[in-house]
């Protein structure tokens, strides 16, 4: 009948009558409805029942095993309960996975690290899903040291890790240039003997990097 008010339904917990606008369905897989106070109290109790919080909260109806949906319940929940529930779900999602954090100090987003799979290519370049900046998944260097190995990057001083330094190291790696074992200056041999005298005065073998003393060396 037009204009007739819809009949109130009882809350599935306290059994008090609820107007349709006051009934909250918490699960997409079931039709059970509850009042705001009862649904909120049920979720809060489940989330707080253990130190880590319960991740999956079931429908309060004893005959129903459907999981409640946080988004469907959100309108009935206090902000702190909703946030704790979502945090518990995230913890459950990451359980058993190796965790890592974005190395950029202004982000530090929690992520799941993919372990290297035997026989597969080693992943070094990684992108933070939040700040979208690149970093090295192996050594955690930020930004990512493109074209330079983790060992080479780790051997640099903090003042030598700029973009121009990375470009130089990438070029040196591609052209097989060598570093002086004493001062780490990059040396290019275009022709002639493998006996190199660096600008710092240190003498070494360009092929193996060992010291060249008295006209001979012990390497290669």
């Amino acid at each position: 009948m037009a204009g007739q008010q819809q009949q109130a339904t009882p809350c599935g917990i306290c059994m008090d009558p609820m107007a349709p606008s006051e009934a909250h369905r918490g699960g997409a897989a079931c039709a059970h409805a509850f009042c705001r106070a009862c649904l909120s109290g049920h979720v809060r109790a489940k989330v707080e029942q253990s130190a880590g919080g319960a991740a999956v909260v079931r429908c309060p109806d004893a005959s129903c095993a459907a999981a409640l949906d946080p988004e469907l319940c959100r309108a009935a929940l206090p902000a702190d309960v909703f946030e704790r529930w979502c945090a518990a779900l995230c913890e459950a999602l990451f359980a058993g996975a190796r965790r890592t954090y974005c190395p950029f100090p202004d982000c530090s987003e929690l992520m799941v690290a993919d372990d290297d799979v035997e026989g597969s290519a080693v992943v070094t370049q990684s992108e933070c899903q939040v700040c979208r900046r690149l970093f090295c998944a192996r050594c955690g260097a930020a930004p990512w040291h493109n074209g330079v190995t983790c060992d080479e990057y780790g051997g640099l001083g903090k003042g030598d890790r700029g973009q121009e330094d990375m470009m130089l190291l990438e070029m040196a790696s591609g052209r097989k240039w060598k570093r002086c074992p004493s001062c780490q200056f990059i040396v290019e041999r275009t022709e002639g003997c493998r006996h190199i005298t660096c600008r710092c005065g240190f003498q070494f073998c360009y092929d193996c990097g060992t010291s060249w003393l008295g006209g001979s060396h012990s390497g290669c």
Side-chain angles (χ1 to χ4, degrees), residues 156-214:
L156 294 175
K158 291 185 177 180
D160 298 326
R161 296 179 177 179
Q163 183 176 3
E164 293 183 356
D165 301 298
M166 294 298 98
M167 293 175 63
L168 176 60
L169 285 179
E170 183 177 6
M171 181 184 298
S173 177
R175 298 186 180 183
K176 308 299 182 182
W177 294 346
K178 301 296 179 67
R179 282 183 176 274
C180 170
S182 177
C183 69
Q184 299 301 308
F185 183 73
I186 295 177
V187 178
E188 176 188 13
R189 182 173 72 95
T190 57
E191 61 182 10
C193 178
R194 60 182 177 174
H195 178 193
I196 300 297
T197 300
C198 179
R199 66 177 186 177
C200 71
F202 185 79
Q203 300 180 50
F204 66 98
C205 174
Y206 193 83
D207 290 343
C208 67
T210 58
S211 175
W212 198 295
L213 298 174

Side-chain angles (χ1 to χ4, degrees), residues 5-52:
Q5 291 185 347
Q6 293 180 312
Q7 184 176 2
T9 57
C11 167
I13 296 178
C14 68
M15 303 305 295
D16 287 344
M18 303 179 296
S21 59
E22 298 173 348
H24 294 273
R25 286 183 55 198
C30 70
H32 300 117
F34 311 92
C35 69
R36 179 189 299 270
C38 288
L39 183 59
S40 175
H42 172 73
V43 174
R44 180 187 291 275
K46 294 298 182 181
V47 172
E48 295 179 349
Q49 71 180 3
S50 61

Side-chain angles (χ1 to χ4, degrees), residues 59-71:
C59 173
D61 191 285
S63 64
C64 181
L68 299 184
D69 186 331
E71 286 299 330

Side-chain angles (χ1 to χ4, degrees), residues 23-199:
H24 294 273
R25 286 183 55 198
C30 70
H32 300 117
F34 311 92
C35 69
R36 179 189 299 270
C38 288
L39 183 59
S40 175
H42 172 73
V43 174
R44 180 187 291 275
K46 294 298 182 181
V47 172
E48 295 179 349
Q49 71 180 3
S50 61
V56 178
V57 178
R58 302 292 178 183
C59 173
D61 191 285
S63 64
C64 181
L68 299 184
D69 186 331
E71 286 299 330
L72 290 178
C73 298
R74 186 170 189 172
L77 301 178
D80 65 314
V81 175
F82 178 77
E83 290 172 2
R84 289 188 60 183
W85 189 9
C86 290
L89 287 169
C90 289
E91 288 290 327
L93 180 64
F94 290 138
R98 186 167 64 88
R99 306 180 189 187
T100 188
Y101 294 88
C102 174
F104 291 95
D106 58 346
C107 179
S108 301
E109 180 69 14
L110 173 64
M111 295 173 286
V112 173
D114 293 329
D115 292 325
D116 296 335
V117 179
E118 185 177 356
S120 66
V122 176
V123 177
T124 55
Q125 177 184 335
S126 185
E127 181 184 59
C128 175
Q129 297 179 352
V130 175
C131 70
R132 297 300 179 184
R133 286 174 288 184
L134 297 178
F135 64 94
C136 179
R138 297 293 310 274
C139 67
W144 179 48
H145 46 80
N146 185 24
V148 180
T149 68
C150 295
D151 289 340
E152 289 174 335
Y153 185 82
L156 294 175
K158 291 185 177 180
D160 298 326
R161 296 179 177 179
Q163 183 176 3
E164 293 183 356
D165 301 298
M166 294 298 98
M167 293 175 63
L168 176 60
L169 285 179
E170 183 177 6
M171 181 184 298
S173 177
R175 298 186 180 183
K176 308 299 182 182
W177 294 346
K178 301 296 179 67
R179 282 183 176 274
C180 170
S182 177
C183 69
Q184 299 301 308
F185 183 73
I186 295 177
V187 178
E188 176 188 13
R189 182 173 72 95
T190 57
E191 61 182 10
C193 178
R194 60 182 177 174
H195 178 193
I196 300 297
T197 300
C198 179
R199 66 177 186 177

